[in-house]
Amino acid sequence: MFRISLDALLILDAIDRLGSFAAAGNELYKVPSTISYTVSKLEQDLGVKVFERLGPKVAITKAGSELLKEGRHLLKAASDLEHRVRRVASGWETELTIGMDSVFSPTSLIHDVTEFCKVADLTRLKFSQETLSGTWEALLDRRVDLLVGAAGEGPSGGGYHSHLIGYMDFVFVVSRNHPLASVINVLSKADLSQHLAITVSDSVRKMQPRTVGLLFGQNTLAVSNMRAKYEYQLAGMGFGFLPEPIARQAIASGLLVVKEVEEPRKPEPIYLAWRTEEVGAGLTWWIDKMKNPHLLDRLWSSFN
């Protein structure tokens, strides 16, 4: 059985802040005898002196200071827990995890996070990033509650709602210093097979990983996200498709060169998605907020 109670810590905190038993009693609406008894009982149970009595005033001891230092963390945690329990009873989640494809950055949603914290300050918010089919797998495995910017069609079998937010256009680009940059004709499979392809690895753990636009036996360099792919292609290490908004500035400045290929990549649908089970107040807030016709433009904003 614990010798330290939250009530005792609350009393110690009040005495330390206000300087006397009487003042602590007034703040906590407790008679002085109750304050005195609680402190004496705590000191007896712990076998340490918590306060030095100096007439009507008291001074906290080193042991008492250490107890109160850690005890205030417990009081804060208990207060947060009470609020969280009330939130759950009112329909607000204690924690909400937003999953994003690694092509996008959580910083594009800073304004929305700020607004959410004002109305749901005790709902812990987390961001998680996956790549390609890994985003969908994270939703179905309950590692995330909402997908913002999931690339490609979701897996068959249902169990989730999805909302199309737009399409991601791709361009085939190489660095201006890459050998393929000087090739005039439409690039064939034979042209590409002689060079290194830069790819993004799918982060799935259980599902079948996606591979896009690779030739059989193609020499590849696989990186973990689209930003790294962009940097490697910009450095002239290899070729590949990039989302047009990511490559736009480098193309305009001549650092990347757009090339025609025999098999261009089709625009890829981008989704908002969540599981079909009961939706809490926090998730409802985010779903409504993300159903914005300009969301995809905002998601690309971190690249501009």
Side-chain angles (χ1 to χ4, degrees):
M1 186 170 180
F2 294 112
R3 295 183 173 87
I4 303 172
S5 68
L6 292 176
D7 280 341
L9 291 174
L10 197 62
I11 288 172
L12 294 187
D13 174 67
I15 295 171
D16 182 60
R17 287 186 293 102
L18 302 173
S20 71
F21 284 23
N26 289 335
E27 181 178 272
L28 300 175
Y29 301 102
K30 296 181 182 293
V31 297
S33 59
T34 299
I35 300 292
S36 181
Y37 172 79
T38 302
V39 173
S40 297
K41 183 69 166 58
L42 179 63
E43 290 178 329
Q44 180 182 338
D45 290 343
L46 294 178
V48 299
K49 198 83 167 174
V50 177
F51 287 108
E52 294 288 352
R53 280 71 167 176
L54 307 170
K57 296 290 185 179
V58 293
I60 196 166
T61 63
K62 287 185 178 180
S65 181
E66 183 64 21
L67 172 62
L68 194 52
K69 174 184 173 183
E70 298 302 323
R72 280 175 172 145
H73 293 303
L74 294 177
L75 290 174
K76 176 66 166 57
S79 177
D80 287 348
L81 178 58
E82 288 181 356
H83 286 297
R84 291 183 192 283
V85 169
R86 295 190 188 104
R87 286 279 188 171
V88 170
S90 66
W92 288 87
E93 302 89 338
T94 58
E95 183 173 282
L96 195 65
T97 303
I98 297 175
M100 300 182 77
D101 191 288
S102 62
V103 70
F104 302 115
S105 171
T107 58
S108 62
L109 300 178
I110 287 177
H111 177 72
D112 305 285
V113 172
T114 302
E115 287 191 4
F116 181 74
C117 289
K118 291 177 181 177
V119 298
D121 58 314
L122 291 179
T123 296
R124 290 191 297 267
L125 193 62
K126 294 173 58 179
F127 279 95
S128 174
Q129 290 194 282
E130 302 284 347
T131 303
L132 297 174
S133 296
T135 55
W136 293 101
E137 183 182 80
L139 180 70
L140 298 182
D141 279 358
R142 299 176 180 276
R143 287 183 276 122
V144 302
D145 302 296
L146 174 69
L147 294 182
V148 178
E153 300 287 347
S156 60
Y160 61 89
H161 291 295
S162 62
H163 173 78
L164 180 66
I165 62 176
Y167 287 87
M168 185 190 304
D169 293 321
F170 288 88
V171 288
F172 187 96
V173 292
V174 294
S175 166
R176 62 186 177 186
N177 299 318
H178 192 278
L180 290 175
S182 59
V183 177
I184 299 175
N185 58 281
V186 175
L187 298 178
S188 65
K189 292 181 179 181
D191 293 323
L192 301 181
S193 65
Q194 303 174 44
H195 301 280
L196 181 71
I198 311 297
T199 67
V200 176
S201 299
D202 198 319
S203 65
V204 290
R205 305 174 188 180
K206 304 172 185 176
M207 295 169 54
Q208 184 69 26
R210 286 178 58 193
T211 56
V212 182
L214 289 182
L215 304 175
F216 180 76
Q218 177 74 55
N219 187 20
T220 64
L221 170 64
V223 294
S224 61
N225 58 68
M226 194 64 73
R227 289 172 181 266
K229 175 176 164 64
Y230 165 79
E231 294 291 345
Y232 271 98
Q233 289 188 218
L234 193 64
M237 288 290 294
F239 65 79
F241 289 97
L242 287 176
E244 189 277 333
I246 294 179
R248 186 178 300 160
Q249 289 189 358
I251 292 171
S253 63
L255 296 176
L256 288 176
V257 179
V258 178
K259 304 297 294 183
E260 286 189 70
V261 291
E262 287 182 342
E263 297 182 5
R265 185 170 173 181
K266 295 180 180 180
E268 189 159 39
I270 305 297
Y271 290 96
L272 186 71
W274 61 96
R275 292 187 298 276
T276 54
E277 60 201 40
E278 184 179 351
V279 176
L283 182 53
T284 299
W285 188 97
W286 275 98
I287 292 171
D288 292 342
K289 193 71 173 177
M290 294 296 96
K291 287 183 177 180
N292 183 309
H294 304 293
L295 175 60
L296 191 54
D297 290 335
R298 291 175 51 207
L299 293 178
W300 288 124
S301 64
S302 61
F303 286 97
N304 299 327

